Amino acid sequence: MIPISEALEIIRRETFSLDAETIDLENSVGRVLAENIEADMDLPPFDRSQMDGFAVKTADTSKLPASLKIIGESVAGKGFDRKMKTGEAVRIMTGARLPDGADAVQKVELTKEKNGFVEILEAVKTAQNINRQASEITKGAQVFSQGEIINEQMIAALASFGYAKLKVFRQPKIAILSTGSEIVEIGEAPQKDQIRNSNSMMLKIFAKNAGAEAEILPQVHDDFETLKQKIAAAVGLDSGLKNSEIRNPKSKILIITGGVSVGDYDFTKPALRELGAEIFFEKVSLKPGKPTVFARLNDVLIFGLPGNPVSVAVTFFLFVRPAILQMQSAKNCKPKKGYAVCSDKIKGAKERDSFLPVSLSTNEKGSLMIESLRFSGSSNFIAFAHADALVFVPQGKNLAKNDVAEILFL
Ligand code: AMP
Ligand code: MG
């Protein structure tokens, strides 16, 4: 049994990174930037009015009421191109360019218009109601850097600097293989002794959200020969396989769920061994997730995760997600860490570190509180549906009410 930190180090060491490709901005959310993003223009590109009103010279409003001659207008998309002189004003709309010679805008509510003149009812200060050129960003400045994961909030910035297409790192391809003679497809009605396959779809979604392209393989029964065949096919060892999509196994991860413990029908490890896989570890000091396996076969990284859906979720999050992000050269591959206060006691495990799913809430004192989920065991994925984070309980310890605990945000 190895500590979690060592398992992570091994995964980091064995994981390769992929090259870059160019994609449309529209499809970029969740992908990892393979280039630095620069502002190709000042923003705002000119001194810009924040209000509908009149562009004026501050000095002209020192004596009130000031009556100024309206000499034209500046609208968004078409500014006023002559220079404004003393005693003049230009009607201006929100977002329009400030005319030369003007140094402030008075909003329309504080003006009165009559016979081609405008009366300014309140004095203005220099730069009032103006966004200065380049006050948001200067041309050439770096906006985002290589390795950042693109999120929805970044799209407007990328669009405004002309990144209709952009360079991102290629997506790892992930194949998901669930094992278990008791497992039937989601659309099927389980018969006696059967349950539905909840792992494959969950993993597909997790993998996609981590930036991978995920594919669910047909699930396999607990049969040694079949499992061996299916693993061989999934890693591209079976050349006779017609529907093999493994053209570039280097971009691949295979996740197998179930069959990694020591039961009579747990064939994942024996199958991997017989196929000649290099097994890097097969037991981690982690609850849930002790029998997690990490191996490589034909250049495909293989994660064997324990079958319980909650164990699958926890081990995916701790081990597989960082590998997926590393393959895409993401800057932050590790889960986001934080601290929160226990609302109640949380029991750890004697011989293993625990990462237990919990929900989070805030209280009126502004503290982030940990609410434990009522687990009846690591198979309780109904409780897991409400999880926001994993709480860390060190080996041999328990957490007491009001203890501050380390959490990983899901
Ligand atoms: P195993 O790791 O194969 O011993 O499985 C541990 C537990 O997880 C058993 O109760 C299995 O029935 C359950 N399990 C395994 N695979 C799946 C799956 N794909 N979906 C839902 N439950 C599963
Ligand atoms: Mg099983």
Side-chain angles (χ1 to χ4, degrees):
M1 194 151 77
I2 61 168
I4 298 168
S5 56
E6 195 178 325
L8 287 171
E9 184 45 38
I10 294 170
I11 294 168
R12 205 194 53 73
R13 188 188 71 208
E14 298 303 329
T15 301
F16 34 79
S17 27
L18 303 173
D19 56 2
E21 63 178 338
T22 300
I23 59 159
D24 291 332
L25 178 58
E26 187 177 341
N27 304 320
S28 67
V29 170
R31 303 294 298 273
V32 178
L33 275 172
E35 61 180 326
N36 292 330
I37 300 297
E38 279 185 9
D40 72 338
M41 59 190 284
D42 287 343
L43 278 185
F46 42 76
D47 290 347
R48 181 169 66 188
S49 179
Q50 286 175 339
M51 295 280 175
D52 292 322
F54 287 89
V56 298
K57 288 177 178 292
T58 316
D60 284 349
T61 69
S62 55
K63 274 200 213 105
L64 292 174
S67 183
L68 306 174
K69 184 165 193 255
I70 304 170
I71 59 161
E73 64 172 15
S74 176
V75 302
K78 190 171 184 342
F80 179 80
D81 285 328
R82 272 182 293 136
K83 189 165 176 172
M84 242 174 62
K85 295 205 246 4
T86 302
E88 294 178 339
V90 166
R91 190 193 314 281
I92 194 163
M93 314 298 151
T94 306
R97 169 160 55 83
L98 189 74
D100 244 12
D103 62 358
V105 168
Q106 185 51 291
K107 56 180 176 184
V108 72
E109 294 88 339
L110 297 175
T111 65
K112 215 197 278 164
E113 214 184 310
K114 219 190 319 172
N115 303 330
F117 282 79
V118 61
E119 220 170 78
I120 306 294
L121 305 175
E122 205 172 88
V124 290
K125 291 197 203 91
T126 305
Q128 189 168 321
N129 297 326
I130 291 169
N131 287 131
R132 284 290 185 206
Q133 176 169 351
S135 58
E136 285 156 19
I137 201 156
T138 312
K139 180 177 175 172
Q142 189 169 311
V143 186
F144 305 121
S145 56
Q146 179 170 327
E148 281 187 63
I149 300 172
I150 300 168
N151 65 30
E152 293 97 326
Q153 296 92 303
M154 291 158 74
I155 299 299
L158 291 163
S160 60
F161 299 122
Y163 287 89
K165 290 187 180 294
L166 68 181
K167 266 167 79 183
V168 295
F169 290 105
R170 276 184 205 284
Q171 297 182 284
K173 292 192 174 61
I174 305 239
I176 297 157
L177 182 62
S178 281
T179 73
S181 299
E182 75 281 31
I183 307 299
V184 300
E185 302 288 358
I186 303 171
E188 285 177 51
Q191 305 299 309
K192 197 167 168 226
D193 300 328
Q194 294 182 327
I195 56 168
R196 292 195 180 90
N197 178 358
S198 40
N199 287 338
S200 291
M201 186 55 74
M202 173 174 73
L203 282 170
K204 183 173 185 179
I205 306 294
F206 282 172
K208 277 169 85 174
N209 287 345
E213 258 175 36
E215 174 201 12
I216 296 175
L217 303 176
Q219 63 204 37
V220 288
H221 281 190
D222 295 314
D223 175 78
F224 182 64
E225 285 306 322
T226 318
L227 181 60
K228 231 175 69 183
Q229 258 177 36
K230 298 295 175 187
I231 294 175
V235 302
L237 280 180
D238 179 354
S239 52
L241 192 78
K242 295 223 173 43
N243 66 345
S244 169
E245 284 167 36
I246 326 298
R247 271 176 225 104
N248 175 17
K250 267 203 171 283
S251 67
K252 273 289 265 202
I253 290 178
L254 170 65
I255 305 176
I256 306 170
T257 74
V260 288
S261 350
V262 290
D264 289 348
Y265 294 90
D266 289 332
F267 293 129
T268 302
K269 282 189 284 187
L272 286 172
R273 278 208 183 88
E274 207 168 285
L275 288 165
E278 188 176 353
I279 297 182
F280 300 110
F281 62 77
E282 53 187 278
K283 237 180 236 162
V284 186
S285 171
L286 166 66
K287 186 185 174 181
K290 178 170 147 189
T292 300
V293 178
F294 179 55
R296 184 172 52 211
L297 180 59
N298 200 30
D299 269 340
V300 175
L301 292 178
I302 301 176
F303 289 90
L305 309 182
N308 269 316
V310 177
S311 310
V312 167
V314 170
T315 50
F316 176 90
F317 187 71
L318 291 178
F319 301 127
V320 188
R321 187 174 172 276
I324 294 175
L325 291 172
Q326 190 186 329
M327 286 173 91
Q328 300 171 87
S329 303
K331 253 199 255 178
N332 301 315
C333 298
K334 290 183 188 157
K336 191 175 162 204
K337 208 196 255 189
Y339 296 90
V341 181
C342 297
S343 307
D344 215 332
K345 56 180 191 286
I346 300 174
K347 249 185 96 195
K350 241 195 209 143
E351 279 155 8
R352 289 177 279 163
D353 287 337
S354 299
F355 276 97
L356 306 172
V358 291
S359 71
L360 299 174
S361 65
T362 52
N363 66 16
E364 64 289 347
K365 288 188 203 133
S367 303
L368 187 60
M369 304 300 295
I370 296 171
E371 318 283 344
S372 14
L373 298 168
R374 298 280 157 239
F375 276 105
S376 50
S378 56
S379 64
N380 193 343
F381 47 85
I382 313 297
F384 177 76
H386 302 283
D388 300 306
L390 303 178
V391 64
F392 173 59
V393 193
Q395 171 198 338
K397 298 245 160 68
N398 298 315
L399 297 172
K401 187 177 172 169
N402 293 329
D403 276 357
V404 172
E406 191 182 303
I407 55 170
L408 300 177
F409 291 96
L410 285 175

